Amino acid sequence: MATTKNHASLVEEKDIRFLITDCPSDASIDSYLKLLKDNNVVALVRVCQGSYSSKPLVDNGIKVYDWEFEDGDPPPEAIVGKWNKLTAEVFGAGNKGNKVKPCIAVHCVAGLGRAPVMVAISLIESGMSAPDAILFIRQRRRGAINTKQVTYLNHYKRHKKEGGCVIS
């Protein structure tokens, strides 16, 4: 049985949980599926081109989202909106207090650029500063997030504020 090339990195903060990985292959999908199930992954976001069949994941109750964007770049605003909506659904009030917390897996090719940026966005949305979010991820995934993406995250504006409304 093939295994995934790069270790998975679990990023947990408060009630949010993410698993950052590299891209599996059809040969490694069985071990990848086990990894996802072991971490209670309910959704997988592919931010690179899907190079393997998602059928085994879907057949095991994991929702798969294909939100590809250019390698080395920050995500387009439309993808950020979809990501924020997904994280709100998965980690929203209805899931608070669950004994087993749900997890969102996200991967790009190597799991060092696009995927960690998506997780950093969620950490910033949850109230963490951009530099703290980048450091938090890099402590769990060495080499994550390039200079262009750091600049993007440092200028990222939260879409939600504590207590509800956002006024721009």
Side-chain angles (χ1 to χ4, degrees), residues 120 123-136 153-154 156 158:
L123 293 174
I124 294 166
E125 289 288 344
S126 74
M128 199 178 278
S129 71
D132 287 345
I134 294 163
L135 179 62
F136 193 76
L153 292 169
N154 281 329
Y156 180 82
R158 289 176 60 205

Side-chain angles (χ1 to χ4, degrees), residues 35-53:
L35 173 70
L36 299 182
K37 290 171 101 176
D38 289 349
N39 284 282
N40 199 37
V41 170
V42 297
L44 169 73
V45 176
R46 303 192 288 195
V47 291
C48 61
Q49 184 176 8
S51 59
Y52 60 94
S53 172

Side-chain angles (χ1 to χ4, degrees), residues 8-137:
S9 302
L10 184 63
V11 178
E12 288 185 275
E13 176 64 10
K14 301 176 187 167
D15 290 321
I16 60 175
R17 297 179 73 234
F18 299 96
L19 191 66
I20 301 171
T21 73
D22 61 354
C23 184
S25 65
D26 284 323
S28 66
I29 200 69
D30 290 336
S31 62
Y32 192 70
L33 178 59
K34 181 182 180 333
L35 173 70
L36 299 182
K37 290 171 101 176
D38 289 349
N39 284 282
N40 199 37
V41 170
V42 297
L44 169 73
V45 176
R46 303 192 288 195
V47 291
C48 61
Q49 184 176 8
S51 59
Y52 60 94
S53 172
S54 62
K55 186 176 181 340
L57 307 176
V58 173
D59 288 350
N60 279 274
I62 298 170
K63 295 179 182 175
V64 178
Y65 300 88
D66 289 309
W67 297 337
E68 181 182 354
F69 61 95
E70 196 64 38
D71 188 22
D73 282 352
E77 191 60 35
I79 290 176
V80 172
K82 291 176 190 178
W83 174 258
N84 286 338
K85 183 177 181 206
L86 174 64
T87 59
E89 289 169 4
V90 171
F91 305 125
N95 291 312
K96 303 259 189 252
N98 288 349
K99 227 176 192 179
V100 180
K101 294 179 183 176
C103 183
I104 296 174
V106 58
H107 78 72
C108 48
V109 175
L112 295 174
R114 291 170 281 188
V117 166
M118 300 307 290
V119 174
I121 287 169
S122 291
L123 293 174
I124 294 166
E125 289 288 344
S126 74
M128 199 178 278
S129 71
D132 287 345
I134 294 163
L135 179 62
F136 193 76
I137 290 168

